[in-house]
Amino acid sequence: LLLAVVLGVPIGLAFAAGGPTAGALVGIIAFVVLVYVMVKFSMLAPVMVIAGVLNPAKALKTSWDVTKGNSVRLLLFYILLMLAVIVVAVVFGLLSGLLVAMLGTGAVSTMVAGALNGLIGAVWAVLIVSVLSASYRQLAGPSAAQLSDTFE
């Protein structure tokens, strides 16, 4: 939210001072910055849960450090993952829509459609948590205890 406000002010000023073209240009730059920062902080939840870093400032710094040098790869991976999930969700939505259409109209079909949409959302949430956790473990490397166990 803070980042949106910080990036929104220059966009508004560019619109006011330079018109729509300048505002659009600054908006595109702000969008690129927003995506970059979101990728850099994408490891925030795994840092806090897996590494146990509960200090917000330290967790943000750790997430930034863990993603260092891998931001573009992570962005491309997230885009690929998003496309795959969209394709699967569309196929599942078409099949579930067919099932719901066979039920007819009414409360039952609405409830079944809602339950199936909820199922898609739950699967998506589990997938994201799993991917972020695995990505963090890969980027952070083995712990000091695991390394010492190897040589003892």
Side-chain angles (χ1 to χ4, degrees):
L1 182 62
L2 178 63
L3 189 60
V5 170
V6 167
L7 294 176
V9 170
I11 294 171
L13 292 174
F15 266 112
T21 306
L25 182 63
V26 173
I28 291 170
I29 294 168
F31 177 74
V32 170
V33 170
L34 178 68
V35 168
Y36 177 75
V37 171
M38 288 176 68
V39 168
K40 294 300 279 183
F41 291 148
S42 65
M43 295 293 132
L44 185 61
V47 164
M48 295 181 84
V49 174
I50 295 172
V53 179
L54 299 179
N55 180 345
K58 188 174 180 186
L60 287 169
K61 183 184 181 320
T62 304
S63 176
W64 191 278
D65 293 341
V66 165
T67 58
K68 187 174 190 171
N70 295 304
S71 300
V72 174
R73 284 188 213 128
L74 281 171
L75 175 64
L76 294 174
F77 176 67
Y78 294 155
I79 290 171
L80 184 64
L81 180 66
M82 182 179 63
L83 290 174
V85 167
I86 288 172
V87 168
V88 170
V90 166
V91 170
F92 187 77
L94 290 172
L95 294 175
S96 66
L98 181 63
L99 173 70
V100 170
M102 289 190 301
L103 292 174
T105 59
V108 173
S109 64
T110 304
M111 288 176 61
V112 170
L116 291 174
N117 283 334
L119 179 65
I120 291 172
V123 169
W124 169 244
V126 169
L127 178 71
I128 287 297
V129 167
S130 301
V131 165
L132 288 177
S133 298
S135 298
Y136 171 74
R137 288 185 190 274
Q138 221 174 12
L139 291 172
S143 67
Q146 288 174 329
L147 285 176
S148 67
D149 287 344
T150 302
F151 297 105
E152 288 181 1

